[in-house]
Amino acid sequence: MENSLDDLDRRILEQLQTDSAITNQELAQRVHASPPTCLRRVRRLHETGVIEKQVAIVNPQKLGNTLTAIIEVTLDVQTAEALHAFEERAVAEPAILQCYRVSQGPDFVLIAQVADMPAYHDMAHRAFTSDANVRNVRTFFSIHRSKFETRTPVTAAAEQNR
């Protein structure tokens, strides 16, 4: 699908990544297209999976989740089944917001958002210490976030795929 994105698709994606709550009429004005064309394009971008979902980004601080943990996890056994089993447990844990299987170093890097250290310890016990296959857990706590972005570069990625 990346190769079939044209300039209008990229403009639509740029606008929706900035504010997906805008009306179709406003989107059409911003990207210089007709409302029916925009509606058809957005539907196609959803149907083809280019747009996975549209969400509201909530400020965790406003909800009392003030502690961000960046966690490295190394497993004892790295078979496909063991990696998959750990991944399923990590994905099921509500405090874990992101789960990456990585190469070189730990097996996984996780991002968790919790209220405080006691909440982190509770989550760590559920997700890590109760798992006999977890060999090592190393956690870094964020003291300042200078950037948080949900946007995916559209224009640059599309140009590289040509």
Side-chain angles (χ1 to χ4, degrees), residues 6-162:
D6 64 13
D7 185 56
L8 178 57
D9 291 328
R10 291 191 294 274
R11 290 194 318 263
I12 288 169
L13 290 170
E14 288 289 344
Q15 290 300 316
L16 291 177
Q17 286 189 93
T18 301
D19 182 3
S20 69
I22 62 173
T23 65
N24 185 59
Q25 183 72 31
E26 177 65 23
L27 177 62
Q29 289 173 352
R30 289 183 187 183
V31 300
H32 308 292
S34 71
T37 297
C38 274
L39 189 59
R40 190 172 49 254
R41 294 288 187 110
V42 170
R43 281 187 184 140
R44 184 176 54 83
L45 291 167
H46 275 282
E47 290 167 359
T48 58
V50 173
I51 297 175
E52 290 183 21
K53 61 183 172 179
Q54 291 176 259
V55 299
I57 298 173
V58 177
N59 182 337
Q61 306 287 323
K62 301 284 185 183
L63 299 177
N65 292 323
T66 60
L67 188 62
T68 303
I70 299 101
I71 308 158
E72 296 178 350
V73 177
T74 304
L75 304 179
D76 267 334
V77 177
Q78 286 92 11
T79 64
E81 296 81 18
L83 292 166
H84 182 71
F86 177 82
E87 196 168 44
E88 280 186 336
R89 286 190 301 282
V91 167
E93 171 58 49
I96 296 174
L97 305 180
Q98 299 175 46
C99 176
Y100 301 94
R101 197 182 295 186
V102 296
S103 63
Q104 297 296 317
D107 296 308
F108 292 91
V109 173
L110 312 171
I111 308 296
Q113 192 75 45
V114 293
D116 51 25
M117 283 305 285
Y120 169 77
H121 284 289
D122 289 344
M123 184 275 303
H125 178 70
R126 284 190 309 273
F128 313 131
T129 58
S130 63
D131 185 339
N133 192 32
V134 172
R135 179 184 345 143
N136 188 43
V137 175
R138 191 165 102 164
T139 303
F140 305 89
F141 297 100
S142 173
I143 56 172
H144 174 72
R145 181 175 80 182
S146 57
K147 183 174 183 178
F148 173 79
E149 186 62 60
T150 60
R151 296 171 57 91
T152 296
V154 176
T155 307
E159 295 301 321
Q160 290 173 353
N161 286 328
R162 284 186 174 186

